[in-house]
Amino acid sequence: EVMKLIEETNASTTQVARFKKPIEQPALVKWLVDNKVLSIALEGSLHQVQYCERLKSIMDYLGDKLELDELTTIWRMQDGQHQVVMDNIHMLIACAAVRFTQEQLSHLFHLIKSSWTTENNRSREKLLVLVGKLGKEDRGGKISSQVLELLWDLAHLDNLPTEIVEQALRSHGSILSDSFNVKDQVRQQYAIMCIEDIKKGTWVVPAFKQLLKIVRAIGRPSYQKPEKSVVAELHHKYDLLKLTIVSMQRCHTLSCQQARSVVSLSTVKIDGRYTHDQCMAVHLKFIGTVLQDGLMYLPFGNAKDIWDCLVANPNSCQSDQENCFDWFNSHMKDMEPDTLLKMFQQRILFFDAAKLTVKSFACIRVFYDNVNESDRRTRRVGNSVIIDNAALHGLDYMWQAALNTPSPAVADEAILLLLVAYGGNRMKKDVDFVAKHTTFMQKCCKLMEENLASLNDVATVGGALQNAAAAIMAGVTPDVHPQSDERLSRLLSLERLLLLAERYIDKYENTAFRRNSLPHGAMFQGDKIQLQVFAEQQGKPDFEVVTHSNDTLHNLRRKIAHRFNTTPEHLQIHHDDRMLLTTDNFKLLHQLCLNDADIVTVRVLFAPTANNNIMELSGGNMPARQAFLLDQEKQQPSVIMSSLSEVFGLLYKLGALCVPNLTKRVRSLLMLIPPDPAVTTFLQSLPRSNSVQDAPEVDTGASPVGSFSDTFISSITSDSLPSSCPLTLDGLLQPDSPGMSAFRVLYNLEGLSSRLHPAGFRADCSPLVAARYIDSFLSAGGLPMLLNILKDKVISSHVDAEIQEEILSRTLQLLNLVLTHTVGHETA
């Protein structure tokens, strides 16, 4: 009935009543107030939304006519009620508040503050929602300032949970950002209040969060009005960068004082609300906002202070460093080239490479790329990098990162950068690749020398291991001290250097043509591989191909092409969802990850009749082409490395350390480079010299490329085989011979296998030549020497188990070959 009266009164102002005279609005309002109709109505079903919707019209109708005591009565109706009832009462009050007088508003805010002191946190959240609604629904501008002040005061109260503070700030920021009644002067006023809180070192994190919202709400600078940038104005007046950095340093010091250890630093709460990580993150975020919204660059002094606080600081934790690296990585464009160069040279390059993580190295790599590109030492063309100046900034640090970091992922990234730095410019003409490859290989060998020299004396280590092995055999527990961190670090560096050289050869070796100086791994028969071949075209047969791990992709193509009656050039071979390219034709099958019982899929582009006189890439009678291929061969990194003076002595010594991972890396590298010329020369002379007296002396002097350390060369030769000592067949196959080891015996057995059982694609070793060599080997007493290897204790038990197995396997393979050959002769 009350609603009808209100509707009739409102209608009377726009149209003439036809049937009865409506009550005048002042009289109706006076009647409603005097009889406290609203209070009586509120005693009804406040939990029902429909009921409250009708009451909202009465509240809105009365508005500024509500007496203060009745407003108090309405407010108290929520005491002890369900949350739904509270929400509905707050909704009614927020609806009527837009018409409240200043006195009514002051009384309402007094009621809110009174309830704040007695209510629980859940009810306080409801009160904050109400205050936020009051500010947002204000259309006349008379409530906003009071609401902002109330929210600001509430957020500053002590002992409030973080959630309450955050909600008060959200409402405060929402009103500042969204309300069209809030002027920029008011926003600037609260920005200054935040700055004052930051200066005092109190309420720091909330102040920065609110300051971020305010500076974004005021308005960003535009091309038409760049002078309107409030961030620039505030920075000019208060030096926001210095203010933020000083605050960050102060908070970091407080965190360190409260934390029990560096490990717990990231989770310590300096103000009881926000963790150390959250505190540092909001400082960094605000610095980034100042730079971007203020259209300014970060000076070197400020960048240096940030780095010194979060990275160089001995009390910084890992999360500090990670956050700092992340920030610099994302704000690289906010620094001028001169600042980038100074930061890179004076700070970044002093970070311990052993502590690098994936995130930190990602930042350092961006510095490295930008600094060198800005200094015009590199330039990017598509996906390739052109090196215009070989003296790259930070190149030595990339070596440290590749060798010293414990993270394999970081090492892989650093190795990739080194490969580009030394072997790039494939698109550039007139590049001396021989000089580039030589420089890289000499650098690798020099670093191997330095790391090997830092290890304990190899002979001492070997003796200690032998003594320990003897003690174990005698049933006594050996006194073996654990390896020091320094030793483990040097071993890791050696392993990475070997991996680096291996990847360099794999990346820049031209495997598209047949070479004369084959790599060691291509000289002898490998493990048997039986591949399952499936044809994509219908009507083509599926079959098996038998080959070995040291065969080439080119030979595999020829075998498959023969079965399809086509040419190798018209075959596409797929393995594990990738196509085997013709540019890898002379790679070995184990390099292409082809293993026994693997499946390859073949597509025949078209099927012409096979030509038995197909010209090989290395064939032809044109002298110019032969000269070109010979020149190309001399440029191969593996050929250059094998020609370095005493490189084999260095690799033998590394293999003799009996460190499994290191041994595996040495073996992989030796497989990629041409064989040791000393061993090759002796084995080639075996048919002409079957006695020790007639054995040729092998010159181990300097090679045409030159040595990388005269002092180190002398240490190797004095510790292994003297240059004047002639090689003998017995000496090559005995681990206890002067300068020999189990590792070298395996290498020599593989060299011997290259003569007795050569790979099928070698032109210099036909079956007839191999058979004659077996005869010479037998005449030189080779059979007893092979049998001697199988005797107990010939191979020391401390030798890596994989090396022992390979020695025995290779020996048995050679014995089978020699004995089969002997039986065949006797039968004949």
Side-chain angles (χ1 to χ4, degrees):
E1 295 299 324
V2 172
M3 290 299 301
K4 289 181 180 180
L5 292 175
I6 293 174
E7 291 173 358
E8 290 175 356
T9 301
N10 291 334
S12 67
T13 60
T14 57
Q15 61 184 27
V16 179
R18 299 175 59 186
F19 301 104
K20 62 180 179 178
K21 184 178 180 180
I23 302 175
E24 296 289 339
Q25 184 176 6
L28 180 59
V29 170
K30 185 177 184 302
W31 179 79
L32 291 173
V33 173
D34 292 343
N35 292 278
K36 300 186 182 299
V37 175
L38 182 60
S39 298
I40 296 172
L42 287 171
E43 294 177 355
S45 304
L46 288 177
H47 62 282
Q48 295 181 0
V49 178
Q50 297 86 348
Y51 185 77
C52 292
E53 286 292 331
R54 291 181 174 273
L55 289 179
K56 185 166 66 173
S57 300
I58 300 177
M59 289 283 293
D60 183 61
Y61 185 74
L62 292 176
D64 55 354
K65 302 300 188 295
L66 276 176
E67 295 183 354
L68 299 184
D69 58 342
E70 188 169 11
L71 182 59
T72 303
T73 301
I74 296 173
W75 183 261
R76 297 302 178 196
M77 285 182 176
Q78 63 182 314
D79 293 344
Q81 296 296 322
H82 191 270
Q83 298 290 340
V84 176
V85 176
M86 292 180 62
D87 291 340
N88 290 335
I89 292 176
H90 289 176
M91 180 266 295
L92 294 173
I93 292 176
C95 177
V98 295
R99 300 180 58 187
F100 280 180
T101 64
Q102 189 62 44
E103 184 183 13
Q104 287 174 313
L105 287 174
S106 299
H107 185 68
L108 176 60
F109 290 144
H110 172 73
L111 293 174
I112 292 174
K113 290 180 180 179
S114 299
S115 298
W116 184 272
T117 59
T118 59
E119 296 290 350
N120 56 29
N121 290 333
R122 179 62 178 168
S123 298
R124 288 176 175 176
E125 292 178 4
K126 298 288 186 181
L127 292 175
L128 288 176
V129 173
L130 170 62
V131 174
K133 286 182 179 179
L134 293 176
K136 282 187 175 182
E137 295 182 6
D138 178 36
R139 293 296 179 266
K142 61 182 180 180
I143 300 179
S144 299
S145 58
Q146 290 179 279
V147 170
L148 289 171
E149 184 178 351
L150 176 60
L151 289 171
W152 183 263
D153 293 339
L154 292 177
H156 276 73
L157 293 177
D158 296 330
N159 302 321
L160 282 181
T162 305
E163 295 77 11
I164 300 296
V165 175
E166 292 281 354
Q167 184 175 348
L169 292 178
R170 279 196 300 270
S171 298
H172 189 271
S174 178
I175 294 172
L176 285 176
S177 302
D178 301 337
S179 177
F180 61 87
N181 291 313
V182 179
K183 305 301 181 184
D184 280 350
Q185 290 79 2
V186 177
R187 297 186 178 100
Q188 290 186 36
Q189 175 188 350
Y190 278 102
I192 295 172
M193 293 169 67
C194 290
I195 292 174
E196 294 300 325
D197 281 335
I198 294 169
K199 283 183 176 180
K200 292 183 290 187
T202 59
W203 209 64
V204 175
V205 175
F208 270 118
K209 287 188 172 185
Q210 205 64 4
L211 191 54
L212 278 167
K213 296 176 183 177
I214 293 172
V215 297
R216 289 171 177 170
I218 291 176
R220 299 172 183 258
S222 63
Y223 292 107
Q224 292 78 15
K225 297 180 179 181
E227 70 278 359
K228 292 296 185 179
S229 173
V230 178
V231 176
E233 294 177 4
L234 290 173
H235 175 68
H236 178 73
K237 187 175 181 179
Y238 296 100
D239 195 353
L240 295 181
L241 291 178
K242 183 177 180 181
L243 171 75
T244 308
I245 294 172
V246 170
S247 173
M248 182 169 63
Q249 292 169 336
R250 180 173 59 243
C251 291
H252 197 284
T253 302
L254 290 174
S255 297
C256 294
Q257 292 173 354
Q258 295 183 26
R260 295 181 179 180
S261 64
V262 175
V263 178
S264 62
L265 178 62
S266 61
T267 57
V268 69
K269 294 184 178 181
I270 57 176
D271 58 356
R273 290 196 184 102
Y274 298 96
T275 65
H276 171 78
D277 280 354
Q278 291 173 322
C279 183
M280 296 298 105
V282 75
H283 281 85
L284 292 173
K285 185 176 182 180
F286 184 73
I287 294 173
T289 301
V290 170
L291 295 175
Q292 294 176 0
D293 291 3
L295 300 178
M296 63 184 73
Y297 288 108
L298 180 67
F300 170 68
N302 294 136
K304 175 175 63 68
D305 290 340
I306 295 172
W307 178 273
D308 291 344
C309 177
L310 298 179
V311 178
N313 189 345
N315 294 321
S316 64
C317 59
Q318 184 174 357
S319 61
D320 285 339
Q321 298 175 359
E322 298 283 294
N323 291 334
C324 185
F325 279 115
D326 255 353
W327 187 87
F328 274 109
N329 195 2
S330 58
H331 290 84
M332 206 69 62
K333 294 182 179 179
D334 295 326
M335 290 179 282
E336 293 181 295
D338 184 59
T339 301
L340 283 174
L341 181 59
K342 287 182 179 179
M343 277 296 296
F344 191 57
Q345 292 180 336
Q346 300 182 27
R347 288 296 184 272
I348 304 294
L349 297 183
F350 287 92
F351 185 73
D352 188 359
K355 296 180 181 179
L356 284 172
T357 62
V358 173
K359 190 173 291 186
S360 59
F361 188 76
C363 173
I364 293 175
R365 176 171 183 174
V366 176
F367 264 103
Y368 173 83
D369 292 338
N370 287 338
V371 165
N372 284 296
E373 191 169 344
S374 298
D375 204 20
R376 297 184 177 180
R377 304 195 177 202
T378 64
R379 53 192 168 91
R380 187 170 293 277
V381 179
N383 294 326
S384 302
V385 175
I386 303 299
I387 311 297
D388 292 325
N389 187 340
L392 298 179
H393 294 294
L395 188 58
D396 289 340
Y397 187 83
M398 292 305 156
W399 280 98
Q400 297 177 34
L403 304 185
N404 299 331
T405 177
S407 169
V410 172
D412 287 342
E413 290 292 324
I415 287 173
L416 181 61
L417 292 178
L418 290 174
L419 296 182
V420 173
Y422 283 91
N425 291 352
R426 309 301 293 182
M427 298 173 59
K428 204 171 180 181
K429 297 180 179 180
D430 302 326
V431 176
D432 188 353
F433 289 108
V434 173
K436 292 173 68 69
H437 297 332
T438 301
T439 300
F440 180 81
M441 292 303 178
Q442 286 179 336
K443 176 80 171 177
C444 284
C445 291
K446 183 180 179 181
L447 291 174
M448 287 183 202
E449 164 206 339
E450 293 173 356
N451 282 277
L452 186 56
S454 299
L455 290 172
N456 296 327
D457 182 74
V458 177
T460 304
V461 174
L465 291 172
Q466 290 178 359
N467 293 336
I472 293 175
M473 294 296 294
V476 180
T477 302
D479 183 17
V480 179
H481 298 284
Q483 293 177 328
S484 65
D485 292 340
E486 176 66 19
R487 176 174 172 79
L488 293 176
S489 175
R490 296 298 180 182
L491 290 173
L492 177 63
S493 298
L494 287 168
E495 184 182 343
R496 294 277 172 74
L497 282 166
L498 293 164
L499 176 63
L500 185 56
E502 181 182 340
R503 290 190 178 176
Y504 190 91
I505 292 173
D506 185 67
K507 183 176 182 64
Y508 296 115
E509 193 92 348
N510 188 344
T511 55
F513 68 98
R514 188 191 295 278
R515 287 165 39 182
N516 292 320
S517 56
L518 295 173
H520 175 68
M523 300 286 287
F524 58 92
Q525 295 271 354
D527 297 329
K528 179 182 177 181
I529 292 179
Q530 191 165 338
L531 299 174
Q532 307 292 324
V533 180
F534 289 89
E536 283 193 357
Q537 287 89 344
Q538 293 183 356
K540 299 292 184 180
D542 298 332
F543 54 90
E544 294 180 350
V545 171
V546 178
T547 179
H548 60 92
S549 59
N550 289 347
D551 204 354
T552 62
L553 175 61
H554 177 68
N555 269 5
L556 178 63
R557 285 186 191 277
R558 293 181 62 181
K559 292 178 181 179
I560 297 176
H562 178 71
R563 296 291 297 268
F564 282 109
N565 194 31
T566 185
T567 60
E569 291 77 12
H570 297 99
L571 286 183
Q572 282 187 356
I573 302 179
H574 296 262
H575 175 251
D576 285 345
D577 298 326
R578 64 186 178 94
M579 187 171 72
L580 303 181
L581 304 176
T582 55
T583 53
D584 294 330
N585 260 356
F586 288 92
K587 276 191 175 182
L588 306 184
L589 297 186
H590 75 264
Q591 291 179 275
L592 299 172
C593 301
L594 284 166
N595 301 308
D596 189 34
D598 278 2
I599 297 175
V600 295
T601 306
V602 176
R603 176 185 298 170
V604 181
L605 301 181
F606 57 90
T609 304
N611 184 1
N612 295 327
N613 296 317
I614 297 172
M615 181 182 293
E616 298 289 346
L617 286 175
S618 60
N621 297 319
M622 295 182 294
R625 180 171 179 80
Q626 291 178 348
F628 172 77
L629 294 178
L630 183 61
D631 181 66
Q632 289 291 306
E633 184 168 334
K634 291 178 180 179
Q635 296 182 19
Q636 301 307 306
S638 62
V639 176
I640 292 172
M641 184 175 193
S642 66
S643 62
L644 288 176
S645 177
E646 291 297 340
V647 67
F648 289 98
L650 173 59
L651 295 177
Y652 291 153
K653 202 158 195 176
L654 294 177
L657 291 178
C658 297
V659 179
N661 289 342
L662 194 62
T663 302
K664 186 179 297 184
R665 291 264 69 89
V666 177
R667 292 268 301 146
S668 297
L669 182 56
L670 283 172
M671 291 292 179
L672 296 180
I673 64 177
D676 184 352
V679 176
T680 302
T681 301
F682 174 79
L683 293 176
Q684 286 177 342
S685 68
L686 186 61
R688 302 187 302 271
S689 177
N690 295 333
S691 64
V692 174
Q693 290 77 9
D694 298 330
E697 294 185 4
V698 179
D699 183 13
T700 57
S703 69
V705 177
S707 64
F708 48 86
S709 174
D710 294 337
T711 56
F712 183 65
I713 295 306
S714 63
S715 69
I716 288 183
T717 54
S718 62
D719 205 23
S720 57
L721 189 66
S723 59
S724 60
C725 179
L727 290 175
T728 65
L729 186 59
D730 185 57
L732 289 176
L733 302 180
Q734 293 299 322
D736 54 356
S737 299
M740 286 296 148
S741 64
F743 179 85
R744 286 199 63 177
V745 168
L746 175 58
Y747 184 81
N748 294 336
L749 285 171
E750 290 171 343
L752 182 61
S753 182
S754 70
R755 312 301 301 184
L756 300 178
H757 194 206
F761 50 88
R762 285 180 56 194
D764 62 331
C765 283
S766 63
L768 181 60
V769 173
R772 290 175 179 173
Y773 195 90
I774 293 177
D775 292 332
S776 298
F777 176 73
L778 293 173
S779 300
L783 182 57
M785 297 175 192
L786 291 176
L787 292 172
N788 182 65
I789 296 176
L790 301 179
K791 292 182 179 179
D792 190 21
K793 298 182 181 180
V794 171
I795 305 298
S796 177
S797 58
H798 76 268
V799 174
D800 181 56
E802 187 174 344
I803 295 295
Q804 294 185 48
E805 291 177 4
E806 290 195 40
I807 289 175
L808 295 177
S809 174
R810 184 62 59 182
T811 303
L812 290 172
Q813 184 184 42
L814 293 175
L815 280 171
N816 178 61
L817 183 67
V818 170
L819 293 174
T820 302
H821 175 81
T822 304
V823 171
H825 270 288
E826 291 178 354
T827 303

